[in-house]
């Protein structure tokens, strides 16, 4: 891939917020959308005299991501300080892991649009703290909200293995899914839970040195990343073709114009004066601990898809839909575990449940539906207790937390399959419709349709059509 | 009505409180009167908090429960220890008027024990200095001679105790800031093992070196206070989980068979011969009490000051970045933009010594200098630790002078940072190695006190105190009082 005579090199640094209960270095809660500075304490404010205490859970979440991305977990973690001044960074240093990343030498196998698989190497992963947020009010003041400050992040740094904007897009999508299935984050883009720093350079084919990198930071949409890279690829090629030179710049993606805008030209590297964080003790990670975390790691999307397709007979496309989110995949697994037919359960989740979520704009975990109730309903359908038509009412009910069997009974939604009751009706209908018997004997199929219609009317629609049909045919043949 | 603390140790005060010969309120009032009577000369306190102190004392009297040796006892706190609702400045302009919304763990522990904080003592700005002269607020004087410095950085705490204003005080020690002012004022000062006392609420200078410790007039008092403030704290990852014994209960004065090492480097160039002579006499006294004394070598001592000033300033440069005018403390006026806010706030808010160390530390951590400075200093630190380890394989304690000289004149050295830094040569290695170090009075040179420093193995404060107690009981130097004692 590339543009004209140039080949493109892209590196991505992705930050994902990890949804631990408390922050990386303080007991304040990690929670999005609260009033500014509600989730803060003296530590988050960088008060004089405060000290950090590292959140073990955040370190374990970092280990999960490292393991999911096939990385080596570092046996020894020392925290480092990255020093810089900014109002959203109250201590004026970020606690990170520059010398001893939680994971190194990982990779992600990315399936590209043409079906080929590309291995993108991951250089390293760091557990570090997120910054707060600055906003600029129309009143002329700037405001600092430190709710997000100290939220644990996992930073995932790729090697420059990505060769096109499309590959970058595929990598980000599949990286998001990989992280999602570690259970450490919902990686909601709109809430800024996953952001990408992108760098891109181009060079003539055959050149053995990379071109000068241009950086774009904190893009929280994969589409924007793709658009920004497409623009940059072209812009850089045009500059080089015109005999110009690419400067080391930080640029910003502008969505309305789908272009990138120069923010600043970098002169040499920033000096963050990294040094070991003296307020935190180093952490030793032994194999036992790694094994424990590995055992707690949820199965990946890929593993689940293979299982659904190969063992449960699910169509590959449906398996894809079921593994869009960890919540959906877990829900499906739990529904199967509760005894539901795999295909019917899959159809409900992909069809009715998804439609419900879209209509009400809710996440699966925010509905009242439980795997047990969905499995219960599927079983009622499978054993003929309710018809698929009746199931529509039951479905509405289980979405509001009702128990399916109890609901079906209470609302007379149980199919009549009792041969004694059905036979009595059949006898009555046949006795009253001798002409239909004649028609049947004369080979008119329509006749059974008419009789079934009469019988359904008598049963107020509750007769089990399959059973009814069988019994009716048997009786007709007897006459 | 003042109270003469020169005639009472903590045990005696406690007895009077238990026997209702005096109330906590009376003692607090008297202490405030002491400060009123002598702080014009001593200038030991940046602020006092009579309302809070008297309210606290009243509560204690109402409860009437004097189970604990510190209940109802007034204390002075170095102004870099966070006190909830009470101004804590670190002696810096940048924190003028700053009232923390939480208590330091040591403050909380003292309060739980019933101690009554009467005020915040003067210090070098952010504990950077050896004479308390870099304070933005005032210049504290030596309790024995008001034309001399009290030492530093905890000069206010040392002067307040030595001058009889309070029975005890807390300080902090990063490179000698408890022991040196204790030596200059002829009292007892302990820098505990790193990790023995929680640093939560101590305004950090150098996180890997800072420790909080007590100033008292006697070793027994000092041991009692340390036991009260030490121990694990979930707020401080570097605080040790080790049990804290009541150090004061095991002091016997018996040092028979104690193996004392005396490093020859501690009597080398730059040590005032009269100070050396006084300290040697003290060591001879310990020998006479039955200890064995051998000369040893701590060969890397001479690199200690250089390594210390790099590590300390590096950590400090990072720790002090939070004083940016954004969230609390002083903020400069008339700023044009964010960078201007930072530059002006910090330029106007910090004093020269703080700026000097921030620049030194910032440089030492910068990309081009890190390996040659910070990393090399960290290596020297390891060598110094190995020096100590080797000696402690064979010996129980290391003794020598606390400071190379007695207290010098106010204004004499404050403009010569290098001379000031070199004066820390004997105390710095103890911080770099994280060891406990005690200074006790070893007599006088030209009317000014000399400090005997006793250094112990990690977490062996008990043996350090035992050694100090033996010497103190034999010498009875604490009977000598500065002239200011007549004011009470």
């Amino acid at each position: 891939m590339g543009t004209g005579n140039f080949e493109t090199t892209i590196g991505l640094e992705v930050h994902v917020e990890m949804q631990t209960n408390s922050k990386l270095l303080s007991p304040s809660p990690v929670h999005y959308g609260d009033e500014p500075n509600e989730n803060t304490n003296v530590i988050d404010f960088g008060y004089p005299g405060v000290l950090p205490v590292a959140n073990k859970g955040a370190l374990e979440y970092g280990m999960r991501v490292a393991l999911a991305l096939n990385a080596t977990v570092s046996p020894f973690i020392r925290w480092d300080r990255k020093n810089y001044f900014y109002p959203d960074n109250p201590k004026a240093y970020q606690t990170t892991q520059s010398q001893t990343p939680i994971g190194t030498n990982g990779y992600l196998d990315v399936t590209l649009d043409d079906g080929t698989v590309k291995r993108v190497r991951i250089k390293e992963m760091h557990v570090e703290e997120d910054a707060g947020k600055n906003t600029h009010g129309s009143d002329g003041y700037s405001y600092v909200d430190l709710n997000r400050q100290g939220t644990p992040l996992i930073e995932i740094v790729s090697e420059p293995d990505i060769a096109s904007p499309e590959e970058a897009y595929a990598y980000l999508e599949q990286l998001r899914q990989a992280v999602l299935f570690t259970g450490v984050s919902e990686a909601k883009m709109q809430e800024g839970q996953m952001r990408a720093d992108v760098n891109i350079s181009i060079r003539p084919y055959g050149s053995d040195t990379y071109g000068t990198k241009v950086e774009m930071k904190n893009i929280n949409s994969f589409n924007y990343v793709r658009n920004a890279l497409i623009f940059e690829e072209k812009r850089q090629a045009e500059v080089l073709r015109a005999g110009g030179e690419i400067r080391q710049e930080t640029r910003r993606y502008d969505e309305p114009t789908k272009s990138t805008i120069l923010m600043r030209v970098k002169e040499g590297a920033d000096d963050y004066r990294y040094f070991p964080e003296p307020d935190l003790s180093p952490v030793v990670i032994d194999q036992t601990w790694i094994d424990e975390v590995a055992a707690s790691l949820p199965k990946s999307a890929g593993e689940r898809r293979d299982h659904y397709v190969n063992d449960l007979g699910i169509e590959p496309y449906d398996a894809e839909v079921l593994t869009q989110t960890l919540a959906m995949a877990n829900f499906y697994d739990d529904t199967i575990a509760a005894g539901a037919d795999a295909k019917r359960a899959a159809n409900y989740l992909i069809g009715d449940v998804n439609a419900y979520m879209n209509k009400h704009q809710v996440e699966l975990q925010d509905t009242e539906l439980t795997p047990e109730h969905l499995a219960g309903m599927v079983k009622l359908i499978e054993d003929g207790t309710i018809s698929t038509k009746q199931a529509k009412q039951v479905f509405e009910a289980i979405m509001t937390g009702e128990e399916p069997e109890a609901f079906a009974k209470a609302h007379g939604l149980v199919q009549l399959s009792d041969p004694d009751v059905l036979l009595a009706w059949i006898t009555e209908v046949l006795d009253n419709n001798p002409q239909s018997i004649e028609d049947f004997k004369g080979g008119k199929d329509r006749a059974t349709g008419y009789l079934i219609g009469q019988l359904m009317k008598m049963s107020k629609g509750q007769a089990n059509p399959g059973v009814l049909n069988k019994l009716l045919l048997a009786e007709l043949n007897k006459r | 009505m003042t109270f003469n603390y020169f005639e009472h140790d903590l045990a005696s005060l406690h007895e009077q409180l238990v026997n209702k010969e005096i109330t906590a309120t009376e003692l607090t009032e008297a202490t405030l009167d002491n400060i009123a009577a002598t702080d014009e000369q001593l200038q030991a306190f940046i602020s006092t908090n009579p309302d809070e102190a008297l309210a606290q004392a009243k509560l204690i009297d109402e409860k009437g429960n004097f189970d604990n040796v510190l209940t109802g006892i007034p204390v002075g706190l170095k102004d870099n220890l966070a006190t909830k609702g009470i101004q804590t400045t670190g002696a810096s302009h940048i924190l003028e008027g700053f009232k923390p919304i939480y208590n330091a763990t040591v403050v909380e522990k003292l309060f739980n024990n019933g101690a009554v904080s009467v005020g915040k003592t003067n210090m070098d700005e952010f504990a950077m200095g050896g004479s308390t002269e870099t304070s933005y607020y005032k210049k504290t004087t030596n309790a024995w001679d008001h034309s001399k410095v009290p030492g530093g950085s905890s000069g206010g705490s040392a002067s307040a105790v030595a001058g009889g204003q309070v029975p005890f005080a807390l300080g902090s020690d990063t490179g000698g800031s408890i022991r040196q002012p204790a030596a200059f004022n002829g009292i007892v000062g302990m820098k505990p093992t790193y990790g023995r006392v929680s640093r939560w609420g101590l305004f950090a200078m150098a996180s890997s070196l800072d420790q909080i410790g007590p100033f008292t007039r006697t070793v027994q008092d000092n041991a009692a206070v340390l036991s009260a403030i030490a121990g694990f704290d979930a707020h401080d990852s570097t605080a040790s989980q080790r049990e804290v014994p009541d150090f004061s209960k095991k002091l016997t004065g018996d040092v028979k068979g104690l193996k004392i090492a005396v490093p020859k480097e501690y009597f080398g160039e730059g040590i005032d011969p009269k100070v050396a002579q006084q300290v040697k006499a003290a060591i001879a006294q310990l020998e006479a009490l039955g200890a064995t004394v051998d000369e040893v070598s701590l060969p890397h001592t001479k690199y200690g000051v250089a390594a210390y000033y790099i590590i300390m300033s590096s950590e400090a440069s990072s720790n002090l970045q939070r004083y940016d005018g954004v969230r609390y403390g002083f903020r400069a006026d008339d700023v044009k933009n964010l960078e201007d806010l930072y530059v002006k706030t910090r330029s106007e808010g910090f004093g020269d010594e703080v700026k000097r160390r921030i620049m030194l530390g910032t440089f030492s951590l910068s990309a081009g200098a890190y390996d040659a400075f910070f990393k090399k200093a960290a290596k020297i630190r390891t060598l110094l630790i190995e020096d100590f380890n080797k000696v402690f394989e064979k010996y129980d304690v290391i003794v020598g002078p606390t400071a190379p000289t007695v207290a010098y004149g106010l204004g004499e050295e404050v403009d010569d940072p290098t001379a000031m830094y070199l004066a820390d040569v004997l105390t710095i290695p103890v911080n770099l190695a994280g060891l406990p170090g005690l200074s006790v009075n070893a007599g006088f040179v030209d009317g000014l006190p000399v400090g005997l420093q006793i250094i112990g193995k990690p977490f062996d404060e008990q043996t350090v105190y035992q050694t100090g107690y033996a010497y103190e009981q034999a010498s009875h130097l604490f009977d000598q009082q500065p002239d200011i004692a007549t004011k009470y």
Side-chain angles (χ1 to χ4, degrees):
Chain A
M1 292 287 273
T3 305
N5 298 321
F6 298 105
E7 90 178 296
T8 302
T9 306
I10 295 166
L12 291 170
E13 281 180 26
V14 175
H15 291 91
V16 185
E17 286 183 0
M18 300 195 286
Q19 287 159 307
T20 46
N21 292 326
S22 57
K23 293 184 177 179
L24 181 61
L25 303 170
S26 95
S28 298
V30 171
H31 195 258
Y32 177 82
D34 291 331
E35 287 296 307
N37 297 310
E38 194 175 312
N39 302 328
T40 56
N41 66 12
V42 286
I43 301 173
D44 310 313
F45 263 83
Y47 252 58
V50 299
L51 296 169
V53 174
N55 180 343
K56 192 182 165 201
L59 209 54
E60 289 186 344
Y61 271 14
M63 287 160 72
R64 280 198 196 190
V65 177
L67 291 168
L69 296 176
N70 313 294
T72 308
V73 174
S74 303
F76 177 83
I77 300 293
R78 199 195 62 193
W79 302 92
D80 296 293
R81 289 187 186 178
K82 176 184 179 177
N83 297 285
Y84 67 96
F85 283 93
Y86 208 59
D88 67 7
N89 177 30
K91 303 184 299 279
Y93 56 80
Q94 178 197 32
T95 306
T96 180
Q97 300 171 332
S98 70
Q99 292 302 307
T100 53
I102 186 85
T104 52
N105 296 321
Y107 63 84
L108 180 69
D109 284 333
V110 180
T111 307
L112 303 177
D113 282 347
D114 62 2
T116 59
V117 173
K118 172 155 189 172
R119 176 160 292 187
V120 176
R121 291 169 302 153
I122 290 161
K123 189 175 170 227
E124 55 194 36
M125 278 148 269
H126 312 109
V127 175
E128 58 186 26
E129 50 175 349
D130 206 348
K133 259 185 198 160
N134 295 348
T135 45
H136 306 288
S138 51
D139 53 6
Y141 284 94
S142 292
Y143 293 89
V144 183
D145 175 7
L146 297 176
N147 279 350
R148 196 178 69 175
Q149 205 284 321
T151 299
L153 291 175
I154 181 86
E155 180 189 39
I156 303 157
V157 184
S158 82
E159 295 282 3
D161 289 349
I162 299 163
S164 74
E166 290 307 324
E167 281 185 25
Y169 186 86
Y171 168 78
L172 285 171
E173 274 216 316
Q174 289 167 51
L175 179 66
R176 177 171 182 271
Q177 198 180 45
V179 172
L180 217 50
F181 273 72
T182 62
V184 310
S185 178
E186 291 172 80
K188 289 183 190 162
M189 309 298 294
Q190 69 278 15
E191 293 183 11
Q193 288 174 347
M194 184 169 177
R195 284 117 58 188
D197 294 351
V198 188
N199 63 68
I200 174 170
S201 64
I202 63 170
R203 60 176 165 177
Y205 279 105
S207 164
D208 52 7
T209 52
Y210 289 119
T212 304
K213 276 193 290 192
V214 166
E215 251 190 319
M216 288 166 284
K217 293 197 168 203
N218 265 325
I219 312 182
N220 69 345
S221 147
F222 297 162
N223 267 322
Y224 292 3
V225 169
R226 179 165 51 189
N227 293 346
L229 289 170
I230 290 170
F231 181 87
E232 263 310 293
E233 220 176 23
K234 276 199 194 125
R235 184 190 70 84
Q236 293 186 19
E238 278 164 20
V239 170
L240 292 181
R241 274 198 215 101
E245 217 175 286
I246 302 296
R247 291 175 302 180
Q248 203 183 340
E249 295 172 346
T250 302
R251 301 177 73 88
R252 169 175 79 75
Y253 176 65
D254 182 58
E255 168 59 12
T257 58
K258 299 205 165 25
S259 65
T260 69
I261 295 167
L262 174 66
M263 290 180 73
R264 64 188 182 113
V265 180
K266 274 191 161 184
E267 286 157 10
D270 290 317
D271 191 349
Y272 291 113
R273 292 171 282 120
Y274 288 98
F275 78 106
E277 162 60 286
D279 283 329
L280 290 169
S281 308
V283 184
V284 173
I285 301 178
D286 59 15
Q287 194 56 45
T288 317
W289 193 8
I290 296 173
D291 292 344
E292 272 172 32
V293 172
S296 75
L297 193 63
K299 275 205 178 73
S300 76
E303 279 176 280
R304 294 191 206 220
R305 278 196 295 271
D306 289 349
H307 169 62
Y308 299 164
V309 172
N310 299 333
D311 307 331
L312 304 179
I314 303 297
E315 293 299 322
Y317 175 79
D318 291 349
E320 197 75 49
V321 178
L322 287 171
T323 52
Q324 282 296 306
T325 66
L326 178 62
M328 179 64 87
N330 282 343
F331 197 97
Y332 180 61
D333 289 347
D334 292 345
T335 306
I336 304 299
D341 175 71
K343 277 191 182 168
R344 204 182 282 275
N347 288 340
Y348 266 104
L349 281 171
I350 294 165
D352 297 27
V353 175
N354 261 334
Y356 180 95
M357 283 157 56
N358 283 334
K359 187 179 159 199
H360 294 89
Q361 285 295 304
V362 287
E363 301 287 334
L364 188 50
Q365 57 271 29
D366 302 327
T367 70
E368 300 288 322
L369 183 66
T370 67
E372 291 70 28
H373 287 175
L374 180 59
M377 185 187 77
V378 168
K379 276 190 276 184
L380 290 176
I381 300 167
E382 288 295 319
D383 66 15
T385 309
I386 59 171
S387 65
T388 47
K389 205 172 147 201
Q390 288 170 327
K392 289 206 185 306
Q393 278 187 64
V394 178
F395 178 78
E396 292 298 324
I398 59 175
M399 291 313 292
T400 59
E402 301 257 9
E403 204 282 319
E405 199 169 353
F407 177 84
K409 274 197 183 135
H411 292 78
L413 290 177
V414 176
Q415 286 193 114
L416 273 174
S417 306
D418 183 347
D420 291 343
V421 178
L422 293 178
L423 269 176
W425 287 339
I426 289 169
T427 306
E428 194 187 331
V429 167
L430 289 182
D431 289 351
N432 292 338
N433 292 285
Q435 184 59 44
S436 293
I437 304 172
E438 288 300 308
D439 290 349
F440 175 75
K441 303 252 180 205
K444 284 185 184 160
D445 287 347
R446 236 177 10 155
T448 50
Y450 172 74
L451 291 169
I452 292 279
Q454 293 296 305
L455 285 160
M456 289 308 278
K457 213 184 257 174
M458 284 183 83
S459 75
K460 296 191 177 92
Q462 289 183 12
N464 182 327
V467 179
L468 190 65
N469 216 24
K470 222 160 70 188
L471 288 173
L472 177 66
L473 284 177
E475 281 307 299
L476 278 169
N477 286 325
K478 275 187 206 163
R479 298 220 176 185
Chain B
M1 207 91 117
T2 56
F3 188 93
N4 191 344
Y5 284 116
F6 291 100
E7 283 161 16
H8 306 279
D9 62 7
L10 288 179
S12 146
L13 292 171
H14 178 59
E15 206 182 300
Q16 293 171 67
L17 285 161
V18 170
N19 296 336
K20 314 240 180 281
E21 290 161 34
I22 191 165
T23 64
T25 304
E26 285 164 0
L27 204 52
T28 301
E29 279 169 349
T31 305
L32 290 163
D33 288 347
N34 281 6
I35 296 167
T38 55
D39 217 40
E40 204 173 314
Q41 288 99 317
L42 295 176
Q43 299 283 320
F45 282 84
I46 289 178
S47 62
T48 54
N49 42 269
D51 294 349
E52 290 86 353
L54 288 167
Q56 218 178 332
K58 192 172 163 232
L59 274 178
I60 288 163
D61 284 329
E62 280 166 8
K63 266 197 207 154
N65 179 359
F66 290 92
D67 279 359
N68 191 287
V69 70
L70 295 183
T71 306
I73 310 283
V75 56
L77 299 170
K78 189 174 180 178
D79 208 24
N80 59 357
L81 298 169
T83 44
K84 191 174 173 179
I86 291 170
Q87 177 185 261
T88 309
T89 67
S92 181
H93 179 37
I94 212 159
L95 284 177
E96 190 163 12
F98 174 67
K99 291 181 176 175
I101 56 172
Y102 75 106
N103 278 328
T105 295
V106 289
V107 174
E108 202 64 32
K109 285 193 176 214
L110 286 181
F111 286 175
N112 289 341
N113 280 315
V116 177
S117 169
V118 291
K120 309 300 292 284
T121 60
N122 197 24
M123 55 185 278
D124 282 298
E125 184 178 3
F126 285 113
M128 297 181 180
S131 64
T132 312
E133 291 170 287
T134 71
S135 167
Y136 172 73
Y137 299 96
K138 49 175 63 175
K139 298 211 185 331
T140 301
T141 70
N142 192 294
W144 294 81
D145 179 343
H146 306 315
S147 71
K148 305 288 186 196
V149 300
S153 65
S154 314
S157 287
S159 181
V161 172
Q165 293 178 328
V166 287
F168 81 102
L170 294 189
S172 68
D173 187 318
T174 307
S177 283
I178 290 174
R179 289 158 289 160
Q180 183 254 30
F184 278 13
N185 284 282
I187 56 172
V188 183
M190 172 61 118
K191 197 285 291 184
T193 310
Y194 185 78
R196 184 59 109 174
V197 179
S198 167
R199 294 182 292 116
W200 174 258
L202 167 65
F203 295 4
M205 167 156 72
S207 309
S208 76
L209 302 162
D210 297 342
Q211 269 292 290
I212 299 164
F215 286 98
T216 56
R217 282 193 316 103
T218 69
V219 171
Q220 186 149 17
D221 284 0
N222 204 286
V225 177
L226 179 60
S227 293
I229 62 168
F232 178 68
D233 178 13
H235 282 307
D236 180 356
S237 314
T238 64
S240 168
Q241 310 247 12
R242 276 170 198 257
E243 286 288 309
V244 180
D246 186 341
F247 299 115
S248 68
K249 292 270 155 65
K250 291 183 189 153
L251 302 174
T252 60
D254 180 6
V255 288
K256 274 190 200 77
L258 184 82
K259 295 201 239 357
I260 296 176
V262 179
K264 62 176 186 219
E265 291 80 4
Y266 285 22
F267 291 89
E269 204 188 330
I271 313 296
D272 181 334
K274 288 192 220 161
V275 168
Q277 195 186 353
Q278 199 66 36
V279 170
K280 279 179 180 161
I283 295 169
Q285 195 154 5
L286 281 167
E287 200 170 12
L289 290 168
T292 63
V293 177
D294 287 322
E295 189 181 84
V296 297
S297 175
L298 294 168
H300 296 96
T301 301
K302 60 177 177 249
Y303 304 115
V305 172
Y308 169 83
Y309 272 87
I310 287 166
I311 291 169
M312 173 274 294
S313 65
S314 296
E315 292 183 10
S317 72
S318 176
N319 284 332
L320 267 65
Q321 287 174 147
R322 67 191 61 203
Y323 306 109
D324 58 8
V326 173
R327 295 167 311 285
Y328 46 74
F330 169 77
R331 178 191 288 186
D333 292 329
D334 297 328
V335 296
K336 291 195 291 287
N337 52 38
L338 182 61
E339 191 178 328
D340 205 33
L341 167 75
Y342 288 150
V343 171
K344 276 198 177 141
T345 297
R346 291 166 65 80
S347 297
E348 294 169 22
F350 289 138
D352 287 348
E353 182 60 24
V354 173
K355 288 179 193 164
R356 193 177 290 127
R357 295 196 193 193
I358 287 173
M359 284 191 282
L360 178 59
T362 303
F363 169 76
S364 301
L365 291 175
S366 63
Y370 185 85
D371 286 352
F373 288 82
F374 186 82
K375 224 171 174 179
K376 197 168 221 171
K379 282 182 189 160
I380 292 172
R381 185 176 193 172
T382 305
L383 293 173
L384 279 160
I385 293 170
E386 284 167 5
D387 278 1
F388 280 116
N389 285 346
K390 221 181 252 174
V391 171
F392 280 128
E393 278 170 20
K394 287 191 196 154
Y395 297 92
D396 300 312
V397 289
I398 295 170
V399 303
T402 305
T405 65
V406 291
Y408 42 84
L410 283 158
E412 255 175 44
E413 282 193 17
V414 70
D415 296 323
D416 186 354
T418 321
M420 192 89 103
Y421 296 173
L422 284 170
D424 299 338
V425 63
L426 303 169
T427 45
I428 275 169
V430 177
N431 297 79
L432 287 170
L435 304 172
L438 182 77
S439 184
V440 295
N441 187 13
F444 297 83
V445 165
D446 305 329
L448 289 167
V450 170
L452 172 71
Q453 184 176 213
I454 303 161
I455 302 161
K457 297 173 187 171
F459 298 100
D460 191 16
E461 283 87 356
Q462 190 66 67
T463 306
V464 172
Y465 277 135
Q466 181 74 316
T467 311
Y469 184 73
Y471 174 72
E472 173 197 78
Q473 292 304 308
S475 68
H476 254 257
L477 282 163
F478 53 77
D479 290 341
Q480 301 202 29
Q481 297 174 7
D483 294 341
I484 202 157
T486 57
K487 298 261 185 185
Y488 305 112

